[in-house]
């Protein structure tokens, strides 16, 4: 079965950096568009960033542009999110998502989430 497993979350001070990873299995990773979403307590799940299957295009939410970078390694079936200049409002559970079609508004497959907490 398809599994997406996030790692790399944790507690960081404002202004710091973290890198999330998402290891995929059970699917042909290079055929899938990938994305990161996040959900803060009491809020809806929001789109953060996406990358197409061959990594030729990336997309970002306005709130993270210039601070976050999405990338992928198809040989390792792994998705990444480099997060710099973190702010307390970036605190959320971050989810990896995969779909063969459009992935910005939703996806077929989801990971279990990784907690990111940014202290002020």
């Amino acid at each position: 079965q398809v599994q997406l497993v996030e790692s790399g979350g944790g507690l960081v001070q404002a202004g710091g950096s973290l890198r999330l990873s998402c290891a995929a299995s059970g699917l042909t990773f290079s055929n899938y568009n990938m994305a990161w979403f996040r959900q803060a307590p009491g809020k809806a799940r929001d789109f953060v960033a996406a990358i197409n299957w061959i990594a030729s295009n990336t997309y970002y939410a306005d709130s993270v542009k210039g601070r976050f970078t999405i990338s992928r390694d198809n040989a390792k079936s792994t998705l990444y999110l480099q997060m710099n200049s973190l702010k307390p409002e970036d605190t959320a559970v971050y989810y990896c998502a995969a779909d063969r079609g459009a992935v910005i508004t939703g996806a077929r497959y989801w990971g279990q989430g990784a907690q990111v907490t940014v202290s002020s």
Side-chain angles (χ1 to χ4, degrees):
Q1 71 278 19
V2 174
Q3 283 194 310
L4 302 174
V5 180
E6 299 95 337
S7 62
L11 174 64
V12 64
Q13 288 190 328
S17 298
L18 280 175
R19 187 174 84 152
L20 299 180
S21 298
C22 171
S25 61
L27 53 72
T28 304
F29 183 74
S30 57
N31 288 349
Y32 281 76
N33 300 315
M34 301 295 296
W36 291 97
F37 289 76
R38 67 186 181 187
Q39 187 168 21
K43 296 189 177 182
R45 188 176 298 186
D46 289 330
F47 167 76
V48 175
I51 186 167
N52 69 340
W53 60 284
I54 55 170
S56 60
N57 290 300
T58 56
Y59 309 88
Y60 296 93
D62 288 343
S63 58
V64 307
K65 276 181 185 175
R67 300 187 299 122
F68 290 12
T69 302
I70 189 171
S71 62
R72 64 190 296 160
D73 186 335
N74 284 349
K76 296 182 178 180
S77 296
T78 302
L79 176 73
Y80 303 100
L81 184 68
Q82 178 66 44
M83 304 184 291
N84 299 329
S85 302
L86 282 161
K87 305 175 181 179
E89 51 264 43
D90 294 319
T91 295
V93 177
Y94 283 71
Y95 297 91
C96 168
D99 199 294
R100 294 196 68 173
V103 74
I104 291 177
T105 55
R108 180 172 182 182
Y109 300 112
W110 295 87
Q112 83 290 349
Q115 177 69 49
V116 171
T117 303
V118 184
S119 63
S120 57

